[in-house]
Amino acid sequence: HSLALTADGAVWSWGRGEDGKLGHGDRQSQPLPKKVEAFAGRRVVAVSAGESHSIALTADGAVWGWGTGETGRLGHGEDLSNQLL
């Protein structure tokens, strides 16, 4: 999967959607870029796509992770897979 960050701080994702790693609240694949609506009203300043998870940093310093949470890869201390936290 891939992530893109626009100049105004919006996040877009596309590719294989298993494990919720695209951030659209489902596990559907997206052949074209789709805006991650969970960040509406927030300015994202950095994104990273892992093998089965994604991470974003917002302008206020909050770190968000979603996708597979196995082995602590989301940084929440437990497996909260498929949730945008």
Side-chain angles (χ1 to χ4, degrees):
H1 74 294
S2 298
L3 299 174
L5 180 61
T6 62
D8 64 350
V11 178
W12 293 71
S13 66
W14 64 98
R16 294 183 64 185
E18 71 269 353
D19 304 316
K21 63 188 173 188
L22 297 181
H24 302 298
D26 58 29
R27 296 171 186 231
Q28 298 296 313
S29 293
Q30 295 292 329
L32 300 171
K34 181 178 177 181
K35 189 173 186 178
V36 179
E37 298 295 340
F39 291 113
R42 294 183 173 90
R43 187 171 193 284
V44 177
V45 297
V47 293
S48 181
E51 180 180 348
S52 57
H53 65 290
S54 301
I55 303 291
L57 173 66
T58 55
D60 63 1
V63 177
W64 297 73
W66 62 98
T68 297
E70 295 170 337
T71 64
R73 69 183 78 188
L74 296 179
H76 304 297
E78 55 187 284
D79 182 358
L80 298 172
S81 294
N82 199 31
Q83 297 182 35
L84 184 63
L85 302 171

